[in-house]
Amino acid sequence: MVAAGDVKVVDDWPEPRCGPDEVVVAVAGVGLCGSDLAVVAGERPVPSLPWVLGHEAFGVILAVGGQVSGREVGQRVVIEPNFPCLACEQCAAGTTAGCPRRRSAGISAPGLLAERVAVPAAFAWPVPDTWPDEDVVCVEPLTVALGVVRSAEVRPGQRCLVVGAGAQGLLVSLAVLQAGAVPFVTDPHPGRVQLAERLGARTDPDKDLDWRFPAVIETSGAPEAFESALDRTAAGGCLVVVGQSARPARVPTFTLVQRRLTVRGLLIYDHPGGFTQTLSVMRQGQLRPGRVLVARFGLGEAPRAFAEATDIAGKSWITLARPEAEEARR
């Protein structure tokens, strides 16, 4: 990104250096996320320009630092893009998502949408060669989705309302199904709702407030959607908020108190538990998160990918040529 709203593909970026605790990865694919689009739109400032975007990446290890063990050249890995300090009070307590010194690729640290990137080795997670690329590129946002569903305390057989059927809302719906519950979705975009239904979700059956849910998950970030989500949460229920907005939303304390509601904000996941749990679920082979992908772009089409992502009903991703990666795997 050379300026807000202006994304270009350049070929003069410096080569990454592999530190003693790092690996260099030949990137094979990068998913696009709402936070990436907020950066491009200028809604989330970045440390400097030009800026490398992207944080949902996977690829193959090309080089391994001298102090690294358990990682090898040629390994296929998915990158956990949030790097906590692992030394502060929050990290010591295991809540690394709250680390005040956490660096996030593409947001506060250089992004992963490049042919080669250097990342801390502990945050490059080996994955089987047999997993489809489409599933692997969705591991990071799926980790968020699975954590959201756990935070909402969704139980088998329970109804759960997912407000917003963008890419994250679709993955949350899959995570609700994985938990044995029943996802209902609401979104003003008909195409998104139709895709959610094809993935196994149900359409929100009734806008009347008498139809409420014991678990509600808000993914859109629109303050109006948060207000609606609060109204749709049943007495004693839990509302988990994933979407973010700088605009304030109205929260009637009467509703909170009288209905005994729990409202939780959830940002990301903790290291290493989040990815450990997600990869364990993926090994069962039933979730197949890559089903949310509907638009694929080559690296040279990256500017168009970012420009069109908001209007696409489903998730977009960018693939990169991999001659170095294939050579490393041989």
Side-chain angles (χ1 to χ4, degrees):
M1 183 177 75
V2 297
D6 191 0
V7 176
K8 297 186 183 302
V9 180
V10 301
D11 60 5
D12 59 352
W13 208 254
E15 284 291 329
R17 294 184 177 182
C18 187
D21 298 313
E22 295 181 323
V23 294
V24 172
V25 177
V27 177
V30 178
L32 301 192
C33 171
S35 58
D36 300 320
L37 302 181
V39 168
V40 172
E43 298 167 3
R44 298 189 68 169
V46 293
S48 62
L49 291 173
W51 186 251
V52 179
L53 299 160
H55 63 277
E56 300 174 357
F58 74 99
V60 174
I61 294 178
L62 294 179
V64 177
Q67 297 180 14
V68 173
S69 60
R71 302 293 186 272
E72 300 175 354
V73 171
Q75 270 186 322
R76 189 182 190 216
V77 293
V78 61
I79 298 171
E80 179 182 350
N82 293 287
F83 312 131
C85 73
L86 301 180
C88 68
E89 184 177 348
Q90 293 271 23
C91 288
T95 54
T96 63
C99 173
R101 294 191 288 273
R102 174 173 53 84
R103 298 179 298 120
S104 297
I107 308 294
S108 59
L112 305 177
L113 183 51
E115 292 175 305
R116 293 171 292 280
V117 296
V119 297
F123 293 79
W125 294 81
V127 294
D129 290 343
T130 55
W131 286 4
D133 287 355
E134 291 82 357
D135 288 342
V136 177
V137 79
C138 290
V139 166
E140 195 275 341
L142 177 63
T143 302
V144 176
L146 290 169
V148 168
V149 171
R150 286 192 295 269
S151 182
E153 301 177 359
V154 175
R155 299 188 297 274
Q158 192 177 60
R159 293 183 294 111
C160 176
L161 178 64
V162 181
V163 180
Q168 194 61 65
L170 294 172
L171 289 166
V172 167
S173 296
L174 291 180
V176 171
L177 287 166
Q178 173 72 20
V182 184
F184 289 78
V185 299
T186 179
D187 194 290
H189 193 303
R192 291 174 180 167
V193 173
Q194 291 168 8
L195 178 55
E197 289 180 307
R198 291 198 296 272
L199 294 174
R202 301 184 188 181
T203 304
D204 183 13
D206 192 349
K207 298 299 183 185
D208 185 79
L209 296 184
D210 289 337
W211 184 270
R212 291 193 170 103
F213 296 79
V216 178
I217 299 170
E218 203 295 300
T219 71
S220 74
E224 299 81 5
F226 169 81
E227 294 165 9
S228 173
L230 192 69
D231 284 338
R232 304 301 299 280
T233 308
C238 180
L239 166 61
V240 176
V241 184
V242 185
Q244 302 178 66
S245 173
R247 290 192 294 124
R250 297 170 299 176
V251 181
T253 55
F254 185 89
T255 299
L256 287 174
V257 174
Q258 290 295 313
R259 279 201 254 136
R260 311 177 316 283
L261 302 183
T262 299
V263 179
R264 294 178 179 144
L266 191 138
L267 180 60
I268 50 169
Y269 37 78
D270 294 318
H271 174 83
F275 265 61
T276 298
Q277 292 171 319
T278 298
L279 295 177
S280 176
V281 169
M282 293 270 294
R283 288 187 185 96
Q284 300 173 22
Q286 300 170 347
L287 194 52
R288 296 171 44 227
R291 290 178 289 163
V292 307
L293 296 171
V294 298
R296 175 175 175 169
F297 299 86
L299 179 60
E301 301 173 293
R304 184 163 70 90
F306 282 98
E308 297 180 3
T310 302
D311 297 324
I312 290 174
K315 188 172 181 64
S316 301
W317 66 308
I318 295 171
T319 58
L320 289 80
R322 295 179 288 175
E324 288 180 298
E326 296 302 327
E327 180 64 28
R329 291 168 79 173
R330 286 197 291 270

